[in-house]
């Protein structure tokens, strides 16, 4: 039977949605049953086998709705294969320092569950109607450049590796399963 995959994203100006869709297309090619949905539209995740959660960074933090989603769904997520992806303008330069800084956005939820993988992707900052002027202005004064720095080749490569791990290897245990295995005598 096809695995059910939810790719859910927080987004304010649309660029993270584009990345979520690209990930979804890769999972479809791997014959998964895929839904790509806005995080605020998801109430119940019981039916999914795999959940991939993404959010852009704003002011060094994941969007609050992404953190809230993981807090609310934490019990259900413990029974799924879970991966995260982080989108940020600082990630346009793929240095170890920038990656480490970006990973700190997960600090508020790191006790909740260990994801199977974390994708780190450059985002986009475009002066268009989806981004309110005030936010664009704040981003500018913090030194972020305009432009679309998303690298869909890297996104697809990450998604392809993840899909191979999660869909083809039946026995990738998640952390909840590992701790059960360790405590079973
Ligand atoms: C107000 C504001 C603050 C931002 N702060 C950060 C930041 O701290 N670190 C970072 O890497 N990118 C930051 N960004 C860039 C966004 O993460 C990037 O533009 C992302 O692609 C936006 O995603 P969205 O189009 O899905 O909303 C910021 C953007 C805005 C508008």
């Amino acid at each position: 039977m096809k695995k059910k995959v939810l790719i859910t994203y927080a987004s304010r100006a649309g660029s993270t949605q584009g990345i979520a869709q690209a990930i979804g297309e890769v999972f479809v090619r791997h014959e998964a049953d895929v839904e790509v949905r806005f995080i605020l539209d998801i109430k119940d995740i019981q039916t999914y086998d795999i959940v991939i959660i993404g959010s852009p960074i704003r002011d060094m933090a994941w969007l609050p709705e992404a953190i809230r989603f993981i807090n609310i769904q934490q019990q259900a997520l413990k029974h799924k294969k879970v991966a995260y992806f982080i989108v940020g303008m600082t990630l346009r330069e793929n240095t170890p320092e920038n990656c480490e800084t970006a990973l700190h956005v997960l600090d508020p939820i790191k006790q909740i569950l260990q994801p199977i993988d974390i994708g780190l992707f450059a985002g986009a900052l475009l002066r268009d109607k989806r981004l309110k002027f005030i936010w664009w202005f704040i981003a500018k004064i913090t030194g972020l450049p305009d432009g679309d720095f998303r690298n869909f080749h890297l996104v697809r490569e990450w998604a392809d590796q993840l899909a191979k791990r999660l869909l083809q290897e039946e026995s990738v245990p998640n952390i909840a399963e590992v701790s059960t295995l360790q405590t079973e005598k």
Side-chain angles (χ1 to χ4, degrees), residues 10-17 56-61 63 87-91 122-125 131 135-136 138-139 142 144:
S11 180
R12 294 287 160 84
S15 62
T16 307
Q17 178 183 13
I57 310 174
R58 264 204 188 185
D59 293 333
M60 316 282 281
L63 290 181
V87 178
M89 287 299 278
T90 46
L91 290 165
L125 188 65
L131 183 64
W135 294 118
W136 174 81
I138 289 169
T142 57
L144 297 176

